[in-house]
Amino acid sequence: TSEERRSINNGIWCCEYHARLIDADHSTYSSAELKRWKEVAEANQHERQKHPQNNVYSSQDIELLKELTDLFNFNYLQKLVSEPFREFVSNDVLEPLDQVQDMEENPYYSFNNFELEAFKLELFDAVSKFWELFRKHSAGNHYINIPSIRSKHPEMLEHFYNIIDDTRLLALNVKKSAMPLLQIRRRL
């Protein structure tokens, strides 16, 4: 109903840019996904209000933070966003992403600290979205062979360039999702 749509329980507050992005892409930003974001943000804020000066992390949290940030260190993230995603993609680029997929269902890879857990979930979600697209168009490390497409299917060239652009945007999103964890580790 109109009243339910206007209800504060249905509200999610974003900056103008992200509000437009969400409104323009209902398939990527489903209502279930937005509700999950809202719950995470509200729970995170609730935790911060309970412990405003609590920057102490458990030894388990620090160990996991080191493991994730060693995997997604700044040099690796630069390599990831510099990757052209053409005919062959190096194992150096794909292996850390693959390792995160293995961590995703393992309860060992859970933070006690709510803020760290929220950042980790955001990173894992970004990696998952990357793999979803990459696996649709790859055979192992082999991805999109532009010269072959140009010679055999020139009418499909723009389509495959768009896929490459989408892959690079997803790689950039992985980097953006990893940065808060790197910044926290730097402060330790």
Side-chain angles (χ1 to χ4, degrees):
T1 68
S2 176
E3 290 161 5
E4 288 172 328
R5 282 194 305 276
R6 282 188 258 137
S7 167
I8 193 161
N9 294 327
N10 193 44
I12 183 166
W13 288 263
C14 305
C15 67
E16 184 179 349
Y17 170 78
H18 285 102
R20 285 184 184 165
L21 188 68
I22 289 167
D23 288 341
D25 189 354
H26 295 282
S27 62
T28 301
Y29 305 103
S30 67
S31 60
E33 179 76 5
L34 295 173
K35 286 177 184 173
R36 186 183 69 80
W37 287 0
K38 181 178 178 179
E39 288 171 9
V40 167
E42 287 176 348
N44 191 12
Q45 189 58 36
H46 179 73
E47 226 15 69
R48 284 182 180 166
Q49 289 174 346
K50 284 191 337 190
H51 309 288
Q53 300 303 318
N54 187 5
N55 288 333
V56 179
Y57 303 111
S58 71
S59 59
Q60 177 185 337
D61 282 352
I62 292 170
E63 184 179 319
L64 179 53
L65 180 64
K66 286 180 179 177
E67 188 170 348
L68 280 173
T69 55
D70 284 349
L71 198 57
F72 285 88
N73 62 61
F74 187 75
N75 290 335
Y76 166 74
L77 294 172
Q78 287 303 106
K79 184 183 300 185
L80 175 65
V81 298
S82 299
E83 174 62 44
F85 293 105
R86 297 295 172 90
E87 182 177 0
F88 184 81
V89 180
S90 160
N91 276 335
D92 292 346
V93 170
L94 297 177
E95 280 186 22
L97 297 165
D98 198 38
Q99 288 179 31
V100 163
Q101 288 263 263
D102 294 339
M103 293 176 177
E104 199 164 6
E105 299 300 319
N106 187 335
Y108 170 78
Y109 295 103
S110 296
F111 286 104
N112 294 314
N113 179 278
F114 190 82
E115 181 180 41
L116 292 174
E117 183 66 13
F119 288 140
K120 182 207 76 172
L121 290 174
E122 187 176 326
L123 173 61
F124 283 15
D125 186 53
V127 170
S128 232
K129 287 177 180 172
F130 171 87
W131 276 122
E132 185 179 329
L133 179 66
F134 187 84
R135 286 189 174 123
K136 279 184 189 176
H137 303 285
S138 69
N141 292 39
H142 296 277
Y143 201 46
I144 297 174
N145 185 338
I146 293 294
S148 175
I149 294 167
R150 184 176 284 124
S151 68
K152 295 177 184 173
H153 304 285
E155 73 283 359
M156 297 295 295
L157 204 54
E158 185 177 344
H159 170 74
F160 282 101
Y161 273 123
N162 288 337
I163 292 169
I164 290 169
D165 289 344
D166 290 345
T167 306
R168 295 191 78 206
L169 285 172
L170 290 169
L172 183 60
N173 197 37
V174 168
K175 178 185 177 186
K176 288 178 182 176
S177 299
M179 290 307 293
L181 294 169
L182 283 170
Q183 291 166 352
I184 290 169
R185 181 170 179 186
R186 184 174 45 89
R187 291 193 304 256
L188 293 180

